[in-house]
Amino acid sequence: TVFGIAMAVAVMVTSMQWLDAINHMVDVCFLEAQEQDVSVGFADARPAAVIGELARLPGVMAAEPMRVVGARLRAGQREEREAIQGLPARQSLYHAYDAQGRSLVLPPDGLVISTKLAEMLGVRVGETLTVEVLEGRRPRFEVPVVDTFETYIGSPAYMEIGALGRRMREAPRVTAVHLRVDPASRDALFRELKGTPRVTAVTIREAAVQTFRDTLAKTLTIFLGFFVGFSCVLAFGVTYNAARISLSERARELATLRVLGFSRAEISYLLLGEIAVLTLVALPLGCLIGRGLAAVFARAFETELYRVPLVILPATYGWAVAVVLAAAVTSALLVRRRSDRLDLIAVLKARE
């Protein structure tokens, strides 16, 4: 009984942890790391003068450049294709952000790469990577790894935008500009952007976050629904089975007590008290097992595309315990109903 109820709680905690983790990923990767309202992308790299042109559009309060360069990164026999993202050393809108909530300050030269990319390439801080650019003049150069950071999505590589331009042997250029916009002027801004040449993408951060949440909501609803149902069935079945067996084994003794003057409530206390104690013992054990399972699953589902953090809020334990308790209490009430309807004469006449 203890193990069954504990596993029901553990399954609940493990499944609901995914919801906590996804919400945490959205907060870190979209809400904290990105403070821009609109991102404007171009078909190809544009001269840096376009930053000033966009900054003069209606409602634009701040503009920040970004240069993305497709490249092949080599370290010995290992290589990975990854886009190098050029950003200002200190970002105000689109941050190079790590999983600990720290905005990175990019060095004057050198790469800052994710720990996942460093793992895939087998490099450490201070070692050198060979970069083969896959666009423009396709320059090739050596660049040191200055720092690494942890992130949840992808395996990015950052470089100070000026240093990237020098390595590319080109005048300052940008492939995207991030904008902070006055909400009252958004419609006017979008009308202007429609007529701006070479603009291929206009991304609204709020819409991107909502799309991300909506897409995950469909998957998580099915995922959580299945495991919550499984947990309820497990807790209900274990509790009901244990209580029914106890009722069958003790029916004669309980009937005798009723004849001697014990009330139905007192009989129910004797019958279900043991189940209640076992349930209370199982709840903290289940929470502990659930945390361990969540850590195992988070590690097992780690890929190059994303890493699921181990985030379990106190409310998650509370909901898991509440749902399992509700299932256990429901089954206990059904058994009590059967005990209240015992045919005392028939039970007492029955042979052992």
Side-chain angles (χ1 to χ4, degrees):
T1 302
V2 171
F3 181 75
I5 296 175
M7 287 307 300
V9 175
V11 171
M12 279 287 294
V13 170
T14 304
S15 57
M16 294 181 68
Q17 183 268 339
W18 282 80
L19 185 59
D20 294 338
I22 294 300
N23 287 331
H24 179 72
M25 290 172 66
V26 170
D27 289 341
V28 171
C29 298
F30 291 99
L31 303 183
E32 296 177 10
Q34 301 183 32
E35 297 185 53
Q36 82 281 6
D37 298 309
V38 177
S39 297
V40 180
F42 300 100
D44 50 20
R46 303 288 293 155
V50 75
I51 304 170
E53 296 174 6
L54 292 177
R56 290 190 291 272
L57 292 178
V60 176
M61 297 185 292
E64 184 175 87
M66 182 178 187
R67 176 76 163 102
V68 180
V69 176
R72 183 179 290 111
L73 307 180
R74 280 204 177 97
Q77 299 299 315
R78 299 187 182 186
E79 70 173 49
E80 296 290 336
R81 292 189 63 168
E82 187 62 57
I84 299 177
Q85 303 179 49
L87 296 172
R90 294 182 180 272
Q91 312 89 42
S92 60
L93 298 181
Y94 187 93
H95 299 275
Y97 213 69
D98 69 3
Q100 284 71 44
R102 177 174 59 108
S103 184
L104 306 176
V105 177
L106 302 181
D109 193 21
L111 281 173
V112 177
I113 64 176
S114 67
T115 52
K116 187 64 178 180
L117 182 57
E119 178 187 329
M120 292 188 295
L121 291 170
V123 296
R124 293 178 294 179
V125 173
E127 298 182 350
T128 300
L129 291 177
T130 300
V131 178
E132 296 182 10
V133 177
L134 304 177
E135 59 184 68
R137 298 177 181 177
R138 296 180 175 267
R140 176 174 175 170
F141 52 86
E142 306 286 326
V143 63
V145 176
V146 179
D147 197 6
T148 60
F149 66 100
E150 184 60 60
T151 185
Y152 297 134
I153 299 177
S155 51
Y158 293 112
M159 196 171 186
E160 197 275 324
I161 190 169
L164 180 58
R166 291 191 296 272
R167 293 283 188 171
M168 293 282 292
R169 299 194 294 274
E170 64 181 18
R173 301 177 75 82
V174 300
T175 51
V177 178
H178 304 291
L179 307 175
R180 179 177 290 131
V181 180
D182 182 357
S185 302
R186 280 192 176 188
D187 292 339
L189 173 64
F190 295 150
R191 284 195 296 269
E192 291 288 340
L193 289 174
K194 285 182 180 180
T196 303
R198 296 184 180 274
V199 172
T200 57
V202 177
T203 304
I204 304 172
R205 186 190 62 160
E206 293 177 358
V209 172
Q210 188 59 46
T211 300
F212 184 79
R213 288 188 184 276
D214 290 344
T215 302
L216 285 175
K218 296 177 182 178
T219 303
L220 286 176
T221 299
I222 298 173
F223 180 82
L224 290 177
F226 173 80
F227 281 102
V228 168
F230 176 75
S231 300
C232 291
V233 170
L234 180 60
F236 180 90
V238 168
T239 307
Y240 185 79
N241 187 57
R244 283 288 290 119
I245 292 174
S246 180
L247 177 61
S248 298
E249 292 177 343
R250 302 178 182 179
R252 188 178 184 85
E253 289 83 357
L254 296 175
T256 302
L257 293 175
R258 285 288 307 280
V259 170
L260 293 176
F262 279 70
S263 66
R264 291 179 177 179
E266 291 171 330
I267 295 300
S268 298
Y269 176 78
L270 293 175
L271 175 64
L272 301 177
E274 179 183 355
I275 302 299
V277 171
L278 294 177
T279 300
L280 293 177
V281 170
L283 293 178
L285 178 60
C287 291
L288 184 62
I289 295 175
R291 183 175 182 84
L293 286 176
V296 171
F297 286 146
R299 185 67 179 173
F301 281 94
E302 181 178 313
T303 66
E304 295 180 13
L305 180 60
Y306 65 89
R307 270 75 60 197
V308 179
L310 179 61
V311 179
I312 305 179
L313 301 179
T316 298
Y317 292 117
W319 276 108
V321 168
V323 171
V324 171
L325 272 178
V329 168
T330 301
S331 65
L333 291 176
L334 292 177
V335 174
R336 176 182 174 174
R337 186 179 180 185
R338 295 181 67 93
S339 69
D340 290 344
R341 295 181 176 182
L342 280 177
D343 186 339
L344 303 182
I345 296 177
V347 171
L348 292 174
K349 283 184 176 180
R351 293 185 177 184
E352 291 288 343

